[in-house]
């Protein structure tokens, strides 16, 4: 819904309402047609929406462009468990930032769904009061007005999006496990999938799969996927790419593992989705956000949940304390530990660095899970050649 105020050449607010995606977005604008505030609400309970994100921009002059790098900005990200953070950047990208706990009280993090009408969001978002005596007489824009406004709204060279925020989506996972596939990234102009390397068999007697860094504690430690897998023994594989690394006049041949997968079935994956843990709620994800496992040691592992504590402890002893009988190296960069009490295994892998890594679940056309994949290398702007 694009809302106009009499006498204004540009809309004062835009509401993006997508109940099917549990999302209400609201954008407020100034007289120079620049976004000044935005809100992102999520329908987490029947009849109640949660304030997931609130952002604002400050423009110092009438000529300053929307989202200018030097424009001051503040944003707040909130979560239903009471956590949240506020980030203030008074000079935009050109100056320091201040990070602090969010100071929005609990009663203001929730609003009734029925409050989001023509007036409800406007009262929250508009940063400037109406001139004295003016009344907020809104009306839905005509189709021609909406099309005209949409046509000239451009962000980063692209038309402004008219869809709810979407979580991150995987890029070319099937092709990464097809030898001969030629790919490119913003770092490397040409790479070729040279082989799919068998790493080790993984026993999964409980059907409960953990994908996590065995050495990372705290929140997300031992992250168990909610998807249940038929108890069995499964093959772990790595996708290997070959390319030439160029530095000045030198060219060095390189082979690199870019992704690992636990192969659950022979059927091809008809669809891919984020593999979630029980506590994950995709309704909270904003544009291109993910859930995944955290690592402080540039590593992860596939393991059976029934033996996780013992398996992770053996991994630590083998890797850190170099206790030889605690585990074994099954391939270059891959280690395995076993727990005979539960008949379960852990097989570790390295990643390209610390951070949070998404886990992708592939399903056959029947809905059966057939593959669990982690992209372990940084592949920015991955595309097929």
């Amino acid at each position: 819904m694009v809302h106009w105020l009499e006498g204004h050449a540009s809309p004062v607010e835009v509401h993006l309402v997508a109940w099917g995606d549990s999302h209400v977005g609201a954008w407020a604008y100034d007289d120079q047609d620049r976004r000044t505030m935005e809100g992102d609400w999520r329908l987490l309970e029947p009849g109640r929406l949660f304030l997931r994100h609130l952002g604002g921009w400050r423009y110092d002059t009438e000529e300053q462009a929307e989202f200018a790098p030097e424009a001051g900005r503040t944003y707040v990200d909130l979560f239903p468990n009471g956590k949240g953070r506020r980030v203030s950047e008074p000079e935009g990208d050109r100056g320091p930032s201040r990070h602090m706990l969010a100071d929005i009280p609990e009663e203001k993090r929730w609003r009734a769904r029925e409050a989001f009408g023509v007036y409800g969001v406007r009262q929250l978002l508009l940063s400037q009061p109406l001139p004295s005596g003016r009344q907020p007489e809104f009306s839905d824009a005509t189709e021609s007005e909406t099309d005209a406004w949409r046509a000239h709204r451009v962000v980063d060279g692209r038309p402004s999006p008219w869809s709810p925020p979407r979580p991150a989506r995987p890029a070319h996972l099937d092709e990464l496990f097809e030898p001969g596939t030629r790919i490119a990234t913003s770092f490397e102009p040409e790479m070729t999938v040279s082989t799919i390397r068998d790493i080790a068999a993984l026993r999964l007697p409980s059907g409960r799969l953990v994908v996590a860094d065995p050495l990372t504690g705290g929140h997300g430690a031992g992250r168990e996927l909610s998807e249940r897998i038929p108890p069995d023994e499964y093959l772990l594989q790595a996708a290997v790419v070959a390319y030439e690394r160029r530095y000045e006049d030198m060219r060095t041949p390189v082979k690199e593992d870019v992704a690992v997968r636990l192969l659950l079935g022979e059927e091809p994956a008809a669809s891919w989705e984020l593999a979630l843990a029980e506590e994950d709620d995709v309704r909270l994800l904003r544009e291109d956000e993910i859930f995944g496992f955290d690592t402080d040691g540039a590593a992860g592992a596939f393991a059976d949940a029934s033996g996780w504590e013992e398996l992770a402890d053996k991994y630590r002893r083998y890797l850190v304390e170099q206790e030889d009988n605690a585990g074994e190296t099954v391939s270059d960069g891959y280690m395995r530990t076993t727990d005979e009490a539960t008949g379960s295994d852990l097989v570790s892998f390295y990643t390209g660095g610390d951070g949070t890594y998404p886990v992708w679940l592939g399903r056959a056309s029947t809905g059966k899970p057939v593959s669990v994949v982690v992209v372990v290398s940084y592949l920015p702007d991955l595309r097929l050649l």
Side-chain angles (χ1 to χ4, degrees):
M1 295 184 291
V2 182
H3 297 303
W4 307 80
L5 188 62
E6 184 180 358
H8 283 232
S10 302
V12 291
E13 277 196 17
V14 173
H15 300 175
L16 298 177
V17 181
W19 295 123
D21 291 274
S22 304
H23 170 74
V24 172
W27 303 340
Y29 295 87
D30 61 15
D31 288 340
Q32 282 70 47
D33 195 23
R34 299 173 298 194
R35 195 184 309 179
T36 57
M37 297 193 74
E38 65 178 14
D40 183 343
W41 298 80
R42 302 304 173 96
L43 187 65
L44 302 185
E45 298 178 3
R48 286 214 309 167
L49 294 108
F50 179 77
L51 179 60
R52 172 65 178 82
H53 174 84
L54 188 65
W57 291 265
R58 187 197 72 245
Y59 304 103
D60 296 327
T61 67
E62 292 187 358
E63 294 75 23
Q64 196 170 33
E66 183 183 48
F67 309 142
E70 67 276 10
R73 56 180 178 257
T74 301
Y75 60 89
V76 179
D77 286 303
L78 302 173
F79 299 92
N81 59 8
K83 294 183 178 180
R85 65 168 182 165
R86 175 186 293 271
V87 178
S88 175
E89 299 173 337
E91 300 174 34
D93 293 341
R94 307 294 172 84
S97 62
R98 183 184 179 194
H99 297 246
M100 62 204 88
L101 294 176
D103 55 358
I104 296 179
E106 183 67 17
E107 63 270 17
K108 291 189 177 181
R109 299 184 183 211
W110 295 88
R111 282 174 71 94
R113 171 175 173 165
E114 63 187 15
F116 284 81
V118 169
Y119 299 106
V121 182
R122 182 183 177 281
Q123 293 172 355
L124 170 70
L125 285 184
L126 272 184
S127 56
Q128 297 296 329
L130 291 174
S132 178
R134 298 287 297 277
Q135 296 298 317
E137 297 179 356
F138 290 113
S139 64
D140 290 345
T142 66
E143 183 174 349
S144 61
E145 287 174 327
T146 301
D147 288 344
W149 186 74
R150 180 190 293 126
H152 85 270
R153 294 291 301 164
V154 174
V155 178
D156 295 333
R158 298 172 297 172
S160 183
W162 285 89
S163 63
R166 303 291 186 189
R169 294 160 290 279
H172 310 303
L173 294 184
D174 296 301
E175 292 84 354
L176 284 180
F177 286 89
E178 293 180 2
T181 299
R182 296 171 60 242
I183 60 175
T185 69
S186 56
F187 285 173
E188 297 294 339
E190 183 174 358
M191 298 184 286
T192 301
V193 179
S194 62
T195 187
I196 307 304
R197 187 156 62 98
D198 293 344
I199 302 301
L202 180 81
R203 293 179 297 170
L204 201 67
S206 72
R208 296 162 47 210
L209 179 63
V210 169
V211 185
D213 178 359
L215 297 184
T216 296
H219 175 72
R223 184 174 184 265
E224 180 183 335
L225 305 186
S226 57
E227 184 74 23
R228 293 296 174 252
I229 296 167
D232 207 337
E233 185 174 278
Y234 297 101
L235 180 63
L236 183 67
Q237 298 179 313
V240 183
V241 300
Y243 59 98
E244 284 189 339
R245 181 166 291 157
R246 303 179 182 183
Y247 179 72
E248 295 181 348
D249 295 331
M250 297 179 60
R251 296 188 179 186
T252 305
V254 175
K255 285 193 174 182
E256 177 184 351
D257 293 4
V258 295
V260 293
R261 75 175 175 186
L262 192 64
L263 192 61
L264 308 178
E266 296 300 327
E267 303 96 318
S271 63
W272 291 94
E273 64 195 61
L274 278 171
L276 303 175
E278 289 291 344
E279 64 271 18
D280 297 336
D281 188 341
V282 293
R283 295 174 301 176
L284 292 172
L285 292 179
R286 306 190 70 237
E287 187 69 21
D288 287 331
E289 288 186 343
I290 60 164
F291 290 117
F293 70 91
D294 298 330
T295 174
D296 297 323
F302 293 89
D304 187 87
S306 65
W308 172 256
E309 296 297 333
E310 177 69 13
L311 294 167
D313 180 63
K314 284 187 172 182
Y315 174 82
R316 177 190 57 79
R317 286 153 47 197
Y318 181 72
L319 180 67
V320 179
E321 299 177 9
Q322 298 185 351
E323 186 178 320
D324 290 341
N325 62 357
E328 61 178 329
T329 298
V330 292
S331 184
D332 187 23
Y334 299 86
M335 288 164 278
R336 176 168 57 195
T337 61
T338 63
D339 177 29
E340 295 306 331
T342 57
S344 60
D345 297 323
L346 174 152
V347 179
S348 69
F349 54 86
Y350 288 122
T351 66
D354 298 346
T356 301
Y357 285 79
V359 182
W360 302 105
L361 176 66
R363 296 187 186 276
S365 57
T366 60
K368 172 186 174 183
V370 293
S371 187
V372 179
V373 172
V374 177
V375 177
V376 297
S377 287
Y378 183 46
L379 302 174
D381 301 317
L382 177 64
R383 63 189 186 279
L384 301 179
L385 296 177

